[in-house]
Amino acid sequence: GQQVMQIPQYQHVQEGEDFTTYCNSSTTLSNIQWYKQRPGGHPVFLIQLVKSGEVKKQKRLTFQFGEAKKNSSLHITATQTTDVGTYFCAEPSGGGADGLTFGKGTHLIIQP
Amino acid sequence: DSGVTQTPKHLITATGQRVTLRCSPRSGDLSVYWYQQSLDQGLQFLIQYYNGEERAKGNILERFSAQQFPDLHSELNLSSLELGDSALYFCASSVAPVGDSPLHFGNGTRLTVT
């Protein structure tokens, strides 16, 4: 089945540096969602992007949806230790199935 | 707090055994989803129920089954357990059955098969 490709798998940054994770799909998406999972926690919904070229901001987090609605990115400015965790993008499963298909996630590791 | 309740938090059992994981969705949510999370496979969709009916199946093994009851809580049954079934099992719920509603995840059940 379809699966959105997410890169990088791991990202080590120094605290204060920026961080970006990317998702790519082979198909045009109706929408894309982003989740964050803290170590030992459960995935928590961050945002949903629906429109072509859409950009949404949440404080230091910037989410973008590509013009062709086949890719998306999450950028964090000036990372803090509280940003540690795994960031997942997720696309509608499609093919008659509801729910979401998740990318494998990007593990963000921050060195103080 | 997501409002989704999963029990138990931890489960340790032996190979060949059978276990039941329980999930209560957020109040008002009719859709329940089960996901399996292991280190190398990420979040794998297992099965979805909507208002008591099976809606979609993902990579769910034949040894696994689930159901959603009239009060909307759901149970995931895992039988003939193997070492490879050790994983974190998440339940999630959403308002609508379609894939454009955010999912609200429970804290998960960590299953260890020895």
Side-chain angles (χ1 to χ4, degrees), chain A residues 31 35 37 42 48 98-100, chain B residues 35 37 55 97 100 103 107:
Chain A
N31 70 81
Y35 290 76
Q37 184 176 18
H42 59 273
Q48 176 176 286
D98 294 330
L100 299 172
Chain B
Y35 283 85
Q37 186 175 40
R55 181 86 177 191
D100 59 356
L103 296 186
N107 289 330

Side-chain angles (χ1 to χ4, degrees), chain A residues 49-66:
Chain A
L49 304 172
V50 179
K51 299 177 184 176
S52 168
E54 188 170 17
V55 178
K56 285 188 176 180
K57 292 192 176 187
Q58 289 179 352
K59 296 183 180 178
R60 294 178 294 103
L61 278 61
T62 302
F63 303 84
Q64 288 190 310
F65 204 6

Side-chain angles (χ1 to χ4, degrees), chain A residues 4 23-29 65-72:
Chain A
V4 61
C23 277
N24 294 292
S25 174
S26 57
T27 60
T28 301
L29 305 172
F65 204 6
E67 292 291 338
K69 298 180 75 173
K70 288 187 174 184
N71 58 74
S72 181

Side-chain angles (χ1 to χ4, degrees), chain A residues 8-106:
Chain A
Q9 189 175 359
Y10 292 90
Q11 184 74 59
H12 294 252
V13 301
Q14 295 284 336
E15 187 176 6
E17 290 182 339
D18 293 355
F19 158 78
T20 306
T21 174
Y22 302 89
C23 277
N24 294 292
S25 174
S26 57
T27 60
T28 301
L29 305 172
S30 59
N31 70 81
I32 194 162
Q33 296 182 22
W34 286 91
Y35 290 76
K36 176 184 178 181
Q37 184 176 18
R38 293 180 185 271
H42 59 273
V44 175
F45 172 76
L46 292 176
I47 210 159
Q48 176 176 286
L49 304 172
V50 179
K51 299 177 184 176
S52 168
E54 188 170 17
V55 178
K56 285 188 176 180
K57 292 192 176 187
Q58 289 179 352
K59 296 183 180 178
R60 294 178 294 103
L61 278 61
T62 302
F63 303 84
Q64 288 190 310
F65 204 6
E67 292 291 338
K69 298 180 75 173
K70 288 187 174 184
N71 58 74
S72 181
S73 65
L74 157 59
H75 179 83
I76 302 178
T77 304
T79 54
Q80 300 175 359
T81 54
T82 53
D83 297 324
V84 163
T86 303
Y87 293 85
F88 294 96
C89 60
E91 61 177 359
S93 297
D98 294 330
L100 299 172
T101 298
F102 284 78
K104 296 218 170 193
T106 295

